[in-house]
Amino acid sequence: MHSNLSLSQKVAAVHISDLTGLYGHIVEKVFENEAIPNGTEGYYFAMAHDIRWWEVLDRLAVVLDARGLVTDSKTQFWNSDEAAAEALGVPVPYLQPLWNSE
């Protein structure tokens, strides 16, 4: 498994159960015909914590290796955007959206 991320790159994350709980609460209020803030009076964001992508990829590589889906349990680092783009078969400008949703 390969990565093009910096070792310290973090992204906002939320657990799926927290996100579904938030949406469930909003939908419940709508079904109960309760007024809930909306538009410029109310925005709803679910964010619990930041995660380091490198740690996620390290754990993912171990699991993928255990299932025989990759050849190595270590995450490897591409030395350039060009190498990453060539390995993935995408143009270099498409790399940023692949690694970072900010």
Side-chain angles (χ1 to χ4, degrees), residues 31-101:
F31 284 146
E32 293 173 352
N33 290 321
E34 287 189 33
I36 58 172
N38 61 71
T40 59
E41 300 299 317
Y43 295 93
Y44 301 91
F45 299 97
M47 187 184 121
H49 57 277
D50 288 336
I51 59 171
R52 295 187 189 281
W53 269 121
W54 196 261
E55 293 171 7
V56 172
L57 293 176
D58 281 345
R59 292 178 183 155
L60 182 60
V62 170
V63 172
L64 291 174
D65 183 53
R67 293 182 179 187
L69 299 172
V70 294
T71 58
D72 191 355
S73 65
K74 303 275 187 227
T75 306
Q76 311 223 348
F77 194 81
W78 282 304
N79 59 2
S80 70
D81 286 349
E82 290 74 19
E86 183 178 334
L88 294 170
V90 299
V92 171
Y94 289 15
L95 290 176
Q96 183 65 20
L98 289 173
W99 306 130
N100 187 359
S101 60

